[in-house]
Amino acid sequence: MRLQGGALRLTVYVGESDTHGHRPLYSEIVHRAHAAGLAGASVFRGIEGFGASSRVHTARLLSLSEDLPVAVVIVDTEERVRAFLPELAELVAEGLVTLDRVEVVSYRGRDGERPA
């Protein structure tokens, strides 16, 4: 797949302790994105944050949280990302889902080759 130029970035903000079945929710999202053939997905663990519940979660030593904020970021063509949204809607009961238009400058694997 060639990914260059205009694309869509899908970001899903959830809690680290959120689950789907017996798997962490962020992991389920990544595996489903992979199965859907999306270009890639990355998970970023926050060190502090709050959401709709207004409860602050932090990784500071004096108040360790087991529910830190997590962001799953996926970038692909608009068509492919939008096709994934219904599957995502079934997974994310609580959290925030955003879409941003982005420009892909480079997309290469570790060996320097562009993905097929």
Side-chain angles (χ1 to χ4, degrees):
M1 170 201 342
R2 185 177 174 114
L3 184 60
Q4 193 167 1
L8 214 52
R9 176 177 52 212
L10 167 65
T11 307
V12 183
Y13 300 91
V14 294
E16 183 178 34
S17 67
D18 293 345
T19 60
H20 181 79
H22 298 294
R23 176 185 267 178
L25 179 57
Y26 61 84
S27 181
E28 184 67 24
I29 294 169
V30 167
H31 283 84
R32 290 204 188 185
H34 184 258
L38 292 171
S42 297
V43 179
F44 299 93
R45 183 178 189 223
I47 58 171
E48 190 166 34
F50 71 93
S53 72
S54 292
R55 230 176 78 213
V56 175
H57 303 274
T58 182
R60 283 182 281 147
L61 188 58
L62 295 176
S63 56
L64 286 175
S65 173
E66 294 180 10
D67 192 23
L68 293 170
V70 174
V72 181
V73 179
I74 298 167
V75 176
D76 207 323
T77 64
E78 181 170 355
E79 179 181 337
R80 294 170 70 85
V81 168
R82 290 197 183 276
F84 186 65
L85 290 177
E87 189 160 358
L88 190 61
E90 119 186 6
L91 292 174
V92 181
E94 293 180 13
L96 174 66
V97 177
T98 64
L99 293 172
D100 302 290
R101 293 193 186 285
V102 296
E103 181 178 350
V104 175
V105 176
S106 178
Y107 177 55
R108 293 188 177 105
R110 287 183 189 250
D111 58 7
E113 292 186 24
R114 289 184 171 89

